Amino acid sequence: QVQLVESGGGSVQAGGSLRLSCRAPRMITSVFSGYDMGWYRQAPGKQREMVATISRRGNKDYAESVNGRFTISRDGSRKTMYLQMNSLKLEDTGVYYCNFRDQEDYWGLGTQVTVSS
């Protein structure tokens, strides 16, 4: 079973920044590099949606709504994936989940991001 631990969420005013982290503390470093990864979010009353993904080869993809504001990255030596979020908007509010994928999907428990005016 893959354990994923998210951190970095919080409350911020519109225009501010946050950096989310997703750590896999029990994972062997060499295994970390074999996963495709991503960040997803769920706003109240809405379905979970893709925010950004990064493949095992480092290819990145972003939702149109965050493109140019968010940056996804991964650090194998730290077994951690990141999401740098800049120029945050009210509509970025939600619970953010990290995802690791090989033949199965693994999810963290989520971290709350609240953007206020």
Side-chain angles (χ1 to χ4, degrees):
Q1 188 69 16
V2 174
Q3 180 191 21
L4 301 176
V5 180
E6 297 123 330
S7 61
S11 297
V12 65
Q13 288 191 323
S17 297
L18 286 172
R19 188 176 80 155
L20 305 184
S21 299
C22 175
R23 189 169 59 91
R26 299 178 180 174
M27 187 173 289
I28 299 171
T29 301
S30 59
V31 172
F32 179 91
S33 62
Y35 285 93
D36 296 322
M37 303 174 185
W39 288 96
Y40 294 72
R41 69 185 179 192
Q42 188 165 18
K46 294 187 177 181
Q47 290 187 330
R48 190 175 298 187
E49 62 176 356
M50 186 274 286
V51 176
T53 60
I54 182 167
S55 73
R56 66 196 71 185
R57 296 183 178 182
N59 297 319
K60 303 177 184 179
D61 190 27
Y62 297 93
E64 185 176 347
S65 60
V66 308
N67 199 20
R69 299 188 296 122
F70 291 10
T71 302
I72 190 171
S73 60
R74 55 195 287 171
D75 184 339
S77 65
R78 290 183 167 83
K79 298 179 290 184
T80 302
M81 176 181 62
Y82 302 97
L83 185 68
Q84 177 67 44
M85 305 187 294
N86 298 328
S87 303
L88 282 160
K89 302 178 180 181
L90 299 180
E91 53 264 40
D92 294 320
T93 294
V95 179
Y96 283 68
Y97 299 89
C98 66
N99 169 265
F100 281 26
R101 176 177 298 172
D102 52 8
Q103 287 90 1
E104 296 185 41
D105 276 311
Y106 303 96
W107 295 92
L109 296 179
T111 184
Q112 176 70 44
V113 171
T114 302
V115 184
S116 60
S117 59

